[in-house]
Amino acid sequence: MNETITAIAGIRVGHWTDRAAGTGCTVVVPPEPNVVTAEVRGAAPGTREYALLQKGMRVEQVQAILLTGGSAFGLAAADGVMRALAAEGRGHPTPMGPVPIVPAAVLFDLGPDGAGVRPGPEEGEAAYRGATMEPVESGSVGAGTGATVAKWRGLEHMQAGGLGSGLASVGEAQVGALSAVNAVGDVFTVEGESLTGGSPLPGPPAVVPAAFTDTTLMVVATDARLSRVELTWLAVRAHDALAVCVRPAHSRFDGDIVFAVSCGDIEADVDALAEAAFEATADSIVDAVRSAAR
């Protein structure tokens, strides 16, 4: 049974992974029509097309969402996704032809010298072309390949973060989540079980992790029909789930972001969907860390 974000009808997910280099990228392809918004918390985001996703902006639909390693260098991977979409004639219609809309967000997985392999256009296109509706692979894959967690207590406590997915239901509607977890904090279940050995009440950092900037990247999608304003509540509760499962979260060293997607016609209560977004996001974070540890 598919208990991942691809259980939402029409959603496809693809990865490009380089485990030797410790980096990768993941592309989420929602069906059209769709409505998308996003919310950033934390002080170190790296994004593309983020402003377009805010309420009041004219374009509400996207063709794909990119989550990628490589820090700001990795934003170049969106060029390859756009190239592949343009070749298929997909994008926002303009008098000069369709322009693909591909919001993107990055996490920091660069090596100590900042050099080495980084996802670029070819890697982004490969992830897009590999996108399927099969259950999402979890662990050290795609954008979660080089992700790490538990650096708040000192780098000697650092562990693999990874990529994970979760799913929750509200009547006939479903909410799926996908998370690439590269957090400075420790990771816990909703019930408070520590997955990385840290205390539920973190104190001052043992070492300010200047060499490792951090971020958790999340996509929450539902097959319910929601407006951009209503989708905001799913993004809020997804961030709440992050704050419960990652301690501390939303720090000056994190660029945490949630992309929220509506891509269906099912009628459902927005508050119930928001609680489902909390559940699915929490499950995706736990899945990422547990899978990466295997």
Side-chain angles (χ1 to χ4, degrees):
M1 185 175 179
N2 187 353
E3 295 290 339
T4 71
I5 195 172
T6 51
I8 307 298
I11 285 187
R12 296 183 288 131
V13 175
H15 306 298
W16 173 82
T17 302
D18 188 333
R19 288 193 174 90
T23 194
C25 60
T26 296
V27 175
V28 179
V29 186
E32 299 179 54
N34 59 65
V35 177
V36 181
T37 192
E39 181 174 337
V40 168
R41 297 185 185 179
T47 64
R48 173 169 169 162
E49 299 281 29
Y50 174 72
L52 188 66
L53 303 181
Q54 305 310 299
K55 63 182 181 181
M57 298 301 173
R58 188 167 67 91
V59 176
E60 292 195 328
Q61 178 169 277
V62 308
Q63 279 65 58
I65 298 169
L66 171 71
L67 311 180
T68 181
S71 189
F73 298 107
L75 290 173
D79 293 340
V81 182
M82 290 187 67
R83 182 172 63 200
L85 286 162
E88 298 173 359
R90 297 183 59 198
H92 178 71
T94 78
M96 301 305 170
V99 176
I101 305 299
V102 183
V106 303
L107 56 78
F108 191 99
D109 58 6
L110 301 179
D113 59 358
V117 176
R118 304 157 180 160
E122 288 71 28
E123 292 73 24
E125 182 171 355
Y128 171 76
R129 295 198 181 281
T132 75
M133 289 184 281
E134 295 297 315
V136 178
E137 181 181 357
S138 298
S140 298
V141 64
T145 303
T148 54
V149 295
K151 292 153 278 191
W152 185 253
R153 291 176 288 126
L155 297 183
E156 68 274 16
H157 298 285
M158 184 171 65
Q159 300 172 42
L163 182 137
S165 193
L167 187 72
S169 298
V170 177
E172 295 182 357
Q174 296 185 103
V175 179
L178 184 76
S179 296
V181 185
N182 188 55
V184 70
D186 280 291
V187 181
F188 299 79
T189 66
V190 169
E191 295 77 17
E193 176 192 353
S194 176
L195 303 181
T196 54
S199 167
L201 298 174
V207 178
V208 176
F212 291 87
T213 300
D214 306 278
T215 288
T216 297
L217 310 176
M218 296 164 281
V219 177
V220 172
T222 182
D223 49 14
R225 183 193 299 117
L226 295 176
S227 69
R228 179 166 273 179
V229 171
E230 290 171 327
L231 272 175
T232 300
W233 295 110
L234 274 65
V236 166
R237 289 300 280 153
H239 271 300
D240 289 346
L242 175 65
V244 168
C245 293
V246 177
R247 308 180 197 179
H250 306 140
S251 75
R252 292 191 303 116
F253 307 103
D254 294 294
D256 305 321
I257 182 170
V258 173
F259 296 97
V261 184
S262 169
C263 52
D265 290 319
I266 298 173
E267 296 292 338
D269 178 74
V270 65
D271 297 306
L273 291 168
E275 295 312 304
F278 180 99
E279 179 184 345
T281 302
D283 287 348
S284 72
I285 293 168
V286 171
D287 179 45
V289 174
R290 283 180 168 161
S291 296
R294 294 190 187 117

